[in-house]
Amino acid sequence: MSRGRPALPPGAWISVVVLASLLLMALLAPWIAPHDPLAQDLANKLQGPSADHLLGTDRFGRDVLSRLMWGGRNAFGGVAICIAVAVLLGVPWGTIAGFWPRYVGTVLMRISDVMIAFPLLVLAIAITGSLGVGLVTSMVAVGLVLAPNTAQLTRAGVLATREQDFVASARLSGVWTPILLVRHVLPTALRPVVIQMTIYTGLTFVIQGALAFLGLGPQRPTPSWGSDLNDAYSQILSAPLLILPPGLLLGVVVLCVYRIGDALRDRMSSNLSPDNRKENDVVVA
Amino acid sequence: MQQRPHRHGFRAAALTAALVSALAACGSGSDGAGGGTTLRTLQGLKPSQFDPCGPANGSETAYLAAIYAPLIRTDPGTGKLSPGIATEWKFSDGQKTLTLKLRTGLKFQDDTPLDAAAVKKSIEQCLALQNQQIPGLKSIEVQGADTLVFQLAAPSGGLPDMLGSRIGMIASPTAREKEGDKYGAKPAGAGPFRLAGFVPGASVTLEKWAGYQQAGLPAAKVDRITSQMISDPSAQVAALTGGQVDFAWRLDYSAPKALQGTDVRAQHNLGVSMSNLSIDRSQGPLRDKRVRQAISYAIDRSALAKANTSGLSDVGAQQPFPPGNAFHFNELDGAYPYDPAKAKQLLAEAGHPNGLTLRGVALNSPSFINNGVVISDQLAKVGIKVRFEAKDIGDATKGFYAEHKYDIMSSGMNSGPDWLSIHRRLLSTKSSGNAGNVPIPGGEEAIARANAAQGDQELQAALKNAHQVLQEELPAILLYYSPTVTAWTGRVTGGTASIALNGEADLTALGLK
């Protein structure tokens, strides 16, 4: 009997295809977008779908589809920045705290406790305000806010792994500590972190949209799903359907990311013993 | 044992009935918590304080005009001056001395007597706060309890109009002294209403002041006015159509269309509020008048107005006052038609044949940001690249006026009804609206000519000249007159009369059937 990993369910495959398509559309936007996302046509504003504008036009007569395609570049790019900051800061933070838990770890975890005590979005807005408004700054701010959670999860994984026999034998055989961490501890300890990152990815799409909606993301007229949703919302009494394209798109992307995260968790959990599975349960921040 | 649930059920039903009754009473509007009639209003902007001499953001004006008796009253609908605390006023010494005769027996809401000495002290306190100024003022003299004399260094025919504006809203000097920095939250005027409650960003409550004596404003027609601050367009419409409010002003531009077919009457007017581009002439390419003129030719004002007012207006602005105003001159409307070719030609003459890049900032409010979006697209067509960063008013004005980090700012101004203040702001060298305090050729002379004008005809000619200087030099590029949207239900009386020239509501005109 083979003890292979379970196949990805159809829902996860569909999510992968949808996300990959959206990512591809965003990357190829300069070549495949039907219109310039900034080109205004004030005489044809708030138009419904037509052959020329498949998703209609916004309050400035700009093509909604083209703006969504271009906005994807900011959305995916911003999420990548955020996750990179959370991982690059949170993983070393948690690794040090988990491997040397007594004094250094205690101090590092108290710092993370303090940061986690603040509501996520409020802290992100405060940091964005101090760094300056923009896509990169707002996403760095969210990454900074997610880093303590990442650190705590990493620490839990490292604490459990450092007691394993294979780590003890590597240590006794004189493996240099950084090598020990990178080659022996982290590959096992980071499994829950990988799953958590998929959840953070979905969460970051939502937060990014929220920050842009509040005017803290890419500045107008740069295409952005959040600010386009805000523009559409401001016209809700005149053109109520305009909120659907950016709103639905954000919803679909988040659902797809979470679906993939679920599948990833199932797949990784199948390789763990029941005890480890419990230790590696992921907690949504 | 089995009856208990029934007893609980009865208690719950009784409690629910009591709550429903209480909530119904709260929502009825005619009988507020303190009894009497309550007019429930909403406005789309958020006031932060109620001192006419404090930092102004414009949204507090309607409340100030109900709390404070004016020294001279400016009619909200026509801009004409009429008696307030002062019953008469006259110039002498070639418009360098203004003498006002005051009513006697008046009091402030904190019981301080309102006489000439109190008015003098109040105005001096106001000037000391440095948000308001009276140009050329040498002294204010008190002659008895009812006579006040303004001595001026130069003719200032615009002073009565200025005294009919914010600086003429007389605050109790005792209250201002007592409250210090907190006066803005605890105001005391001599108007028909007093401030009874203020939750920043959420609500304002005014109550009828029983001690009001005639001082230019009509007596209160309701016992209480509550006001909610709601900026969300759909929530504004829902509050009006759902019966939560009786009267609303400064509504979103989409409201008139959304209120069509309902019982709520909506009206939009071209007010004296204006969108404009402030220009920093102290540095960069905008020192050259031709570049400023090129920008003015490159903007399609009519399309801009239509796009950013939900179609309520397509009237571009090329002079401070809108059509229909006594100081609007039709013959000046054609100074800058939309002419991209002319704009390119001027740019080439100024040494920018391949265009140029400007640094822009927009005040962080949807209308100014959206103006920036449209303008950056229109300017791109003549080769001017500019992107407007959205900044809160403090950061934007600091960056623009003090640090000169930007060349151009998308903002707005309220042109009235005090002509002297607006022309000083636009044309004087020392104006806070003049980035870098760069002299405007002909600007000071134009203001002096208007101040020295004798009679309406001379004043008209002087102001026309001032507008021509403005159009030639372009210290600011005017864009369009911002419409104001007001709406009210059938319960309200005085709705139409309450719409002031400046887009604010004259709350003293409102009553309930």
Side-chain angles (χ1 to χ4, degrees):
Chain A
M1 287 192 48
S2 148
R3 196 174 164 270
R5 294 173 178 178
L8 281 178
W13 275 117
I14 292 170
S15 299
V16 168
V17 170
V18 170
L19 274 184
S21 308
L22 289 172
L23 181 60
L24 205 62
M25 272 204 291
L27 291 172
L28 299 177
W31 299 279
I32 63 172
H35 295 273
D36 176 351
L38 303 180
Q40 299 178 14
D41 181 4
L42 297 178
N44 286 307
K45 62 176 189 166
L46 301 176
Q47 297 294 306
S50 64
D52 195 25
H53 301 284
L54 290 177
L55 294 178
T57 59
D58 70 2
R59 61 175 302 168
F60 299 113
R62 300 174 301 200
D63 183 55
V64 171
L65 176 61
S66 303
R67 288 189 63 80
L68 290 180
M69 291 168 87
W70 278 86
R73 294 164 80 90
N74 284 323
F76 285 103
V79 168
I81 292 169
C82 172
I83 297 301
V85 171
V87 169
L88 291 175
L89 195 65
V91 168
W93 182 348
T95 304
I96 293 168
F99 205 74
W100 293 281
R102 201 164 175 190
Y103 299 112
V104 178
T106 303
V107 171
L108 289 176
M109 284 305 102
R110 291 301 78 78
I111 293 170
S112 69
D113 287 343
V114 169
M115 287 181 72
I116 289 169
F118 289 97
L120 191 152
L121 197 56
V122 173
L123 191 56
I125 289 172
I127 295 173
T128 306
S130 60
L131 292 177
V133 172
L135 174 71
V136 175
T137 49
S138 63
M139 288 298 94
V140 167
V142 178
L144 290 174
V145 174
L146 293 179
N149 295 79
T150 311
Q152 294 208 342
L153 201 62
T154 306
R155 173 182 172 272
V158 171
L159 272 176
T161 310
R162 71 193 284 269
E163 305 301 334
Q164 302 271 335
D165 291 345
F166 68 93
V167 176
S169 67
R171 187 187 283 170
L172 288 173
S173 58
V175 175
W176 190 40
T177 305
I179 300 292
L180 180 77
L181 285 171
V182 172
R183 291 191 58 182
H184 300 283
V185 176
L186 287 180
T188 306
L190 285 185
R191 283 182 177 181
V193 176
V194 171
I195 299 165
Q196 184 75 351
M197 283 307 119
T198 61
I199 291 169
Y200 282 167
T201 302
L203 188 67
T204 305
F205 273 109
V206 176
I207 294 173
Q208 186 194 43
L211 290 175
F213 187 92
L214 294 171
L216 298 171
Q219 292 294 283
R220 288 176 173 86
T222 306
S224 150
W225 295 350
S227 59
D228 283 7
L229 190 62
N230 183 298
D231 272 345
Y233 183 67
S234 73
Q235 301 297 306
I236 195 163
L237 294 176
S238 343
L241 296 180
L242 200 56
I243 59 166
L244 289 181
L248 285 176
L249 184 60
L250 258 172
V252 166
V253 167
V254 173
L255 284 176
C256 287
V257 172
Y258 282 156
R259 189 68 194 88
I260 293 169
D262 280 350
L264 215 57
R265 186 195 57 204
D266 294 344
R267 197 175 165 87
M268 285 186 157
S269 298
S270 69
N271 290 336
L272 297 173
S273 68
D275 287 347
N276 281 348
R277 223 175 279 171
K278 199 172 179 183
E279 283 169 6
N280 287 310
D281 268 355
V282 170
V283 180
V284 178
Chain B
M1 291 292 284
Q2 286 176 347
Q3 287 177 350
R4 273 191 174 180
H6 291 286
R7 200 176 290 165
H8 279 307
F10 176 75
R11 283 178 189 164
L15 189 63
T16 306
L19 276 171
V20 167
S21 305
L23 288 171
C26 290
S28 70
S30 56
D31 299 305
T37 52
T38 299
L39 175 74
R40 301 160 308 166
T41 70
L42 82 75
Q43 74 150 317
L45 303 176
K46 293 174 182 171
S48 56
Q49 58 86 39
F50 301 93
D51 182 351
C53 303
N57 75 6
S59 55
E60 67 282 346
T61 313
Y63 307 106
L64 298 181
I67 294 169
Y68 295 94
L71 195 49
I72 295 173
R73 190 182 192 221
T74 302
D75 185 278
T78 64
K80 286 195 165 38
L81 302 182
S82 60
I85 296 169
T87 52
E88 55 187 87
W89 54 95
K90 63 177 179 190
F91 272 113
S92 56
D93 189 21
Q95 306 213 118
K96 289 202 285 187
T97 301
L98 178 70
T99 305
L100 292 96
K101 200 82 177 165
L102 310 186
R103 294 176 202 264
T104 54
L106 298 179
K107 278 188 175 179
F108 289 106
Q109 289 158 0
D110 65 344
D111 281 338
T112 302
L114 199 173
D115 54 17
V119 173
K120 170 184 158 74
K121 193 169 180 186
S122 181
I123 292 176
E124 286 173 347
Q125 286 174 336
C126 182
L127 295 173
L129 290 170
Q130 296 189 327
N131 293 311
Q132 307 281 329
Q133 51 178 307
I134 298 177
L137 178 69
K138 276 166 60 181
S139 64
I140 304 174
E141 294 165 9
V142 174
Q143 295 178 356
D146 65 347
T147 305
L148 203 62
V149 182
F150 289 81
Q151 298 288 359
L152 303 154
S156 185
L159 183 55
D161 292 83
M162 189 174 259
L163 294 176
S165 190
R166 290 177 80 101
I167 198 167
M169 294 176 169
I170 304 301
S172 162
T174 318
R176 215 187 232 137
E177 218 160 55
K178 182 181 162 199
E179 302 296 344
D181 291 347
K182 293 178 184 141
Y183 176 76
K186 295 178 178 177
F193 287 93
R194 63 177 190 83
L195 183 70
F198 173 45
V199 181
S203 67
V204 175
T205 303
L206 301 180
E207 275 182 357
K208 178 180 179 177
W209 180 45
Y212 177 66
Q213 292 171 282
Q214 181 49 242
L217 299 173
K221 297 177 183 66
V222 291
D223 295 304
R224 192 176 299 101
I225 298 175
T226 59
S227 191
Q228 299 175 55
M229 276 85 239
I230 300 177
S231 54
D232 182 84
S234 50
Q236 289 177 343
V237 170
L240 276 161
T241 53
Q244 278 90 49
V245 297
D246 308 307
F247 180 88
W249 77 102
R250 291 274 185 194
L251 289 171
D252 189 79
Y253 291 142
S254 57
K257 192 176 170 192
L259 289 170
Q260 274 174 5
T262 71
D263 294 338
V264 179
R265 180 176 170 186
Q267 193 167 321
H268 60 272
N269 297 67
L270 262 197
V272 290
S273 296
M274 212 172 15
S275 289
N276 70 283
L277 292 176
S278 298
I279 305 283
D280 185 352
R281 294 173 304 119
S282 68
Q283 45 88 37
L286 295 180
R287 279 178 299 187
D288 191 325
K289 186 166 77 179
R290 292 168 297 186
V291 179
R292 306 197 293 271
Q293 291 174 339
I295 292 173
S296 196
Y297 278 115
I299 294 172
D300 183 349
R301 290 172 169 79
S302 180
L304 173 69
K306 210 170 172 183
N308 284 346
T309 64
S310 293
L312 293 187
S313 169
D314 60 357
V315 183
Q318 300 191 33
Q319 48 185 314
F321 297 96
N325 188 288
F327 301 137
H328 179 91
F329 306 97
N330 290 335
E331 58 274 29
L332 299 185
D333 279 341
Y336 290 100
Y338 175 51
D339 190 345
K342 176 85 175 168
K344 283 182 183 171
Q345 179 200 328
L346 282 164
L347 284 177
E349 287 172 14
H352 305 286
N354 300 318
L356 70 154
T357 301
L358 298 174
R359 301 161 301 166
V361 63
L363 296 190
N364 196 5
S365 107
S367 60
F368 302 136
I369 293 171
N370 291 333
N371 286 343
V373 170
V374 175
I375 288 167
S376 58
D377 185 65
Q378 294 184 346
L379 294 185
K381 289 172 183 155
V382 299
I384 299 175
K385 287 182 193 162
V386 58
R387 182 163 287 202
F388 292 85
E389 281 180 46
K391 297 266 183 192
D392 287 332
I393 187 165
D395 288 339
T397 51
K398 187 179 168 203
F400 182 77
Y401 292 113
E403 297 170 353
H404 302 281
K405 280 163 61 179
Y406 305 101
D407 304 301
I408 197 164
M409 177 165 74
S410 170
S411 63
M413 64 173 83
N414 193 325
S415 304
D418 161 23
W419 61 262
L420 179 55
S421 296
I422 190 66
H423 285 87
R424 277 185 51 75
R425 178 167 179 81
L426 286 168
L427 294 174
S428 82
T429 308
K430 289 182 182 168
S431 159
S432 59
N434 183 337
N437 296 122
V438 183
I440 297 160
E444 296 287 0
E445 293 82 353
I447 297 168
R449 183 177 158 189
N451 264 327
Q454 303 274 352
D456 289 348
Q457 215 168 358
E458 269 190 38
L459 180 61
Q460 292 254 339
L463 290 183
K464 184 177 175 184
N465 168 62
H467 296 179
Q468 285 168 325
V469 172
L470 177 66
Q471 291 185 336
E472 174 65 20
E473 296 299 327
L474 292 174
I477 295 173
L478 312 184
L479 299 172
Y480 60 90
Y481 306 104
S482 309
T484 56
V485 180
T486 312
W488 59 92
T489 66
R491 301 179 66 230
V492 175
T493 60
T496 306
S498 74
I499 300 171
L501 269 180
N502 59 3
E504 292 298 327
D506 176 11
L507 297 175
T508 62
L510 295 168
L512 287 170
K513 284 177 185 165

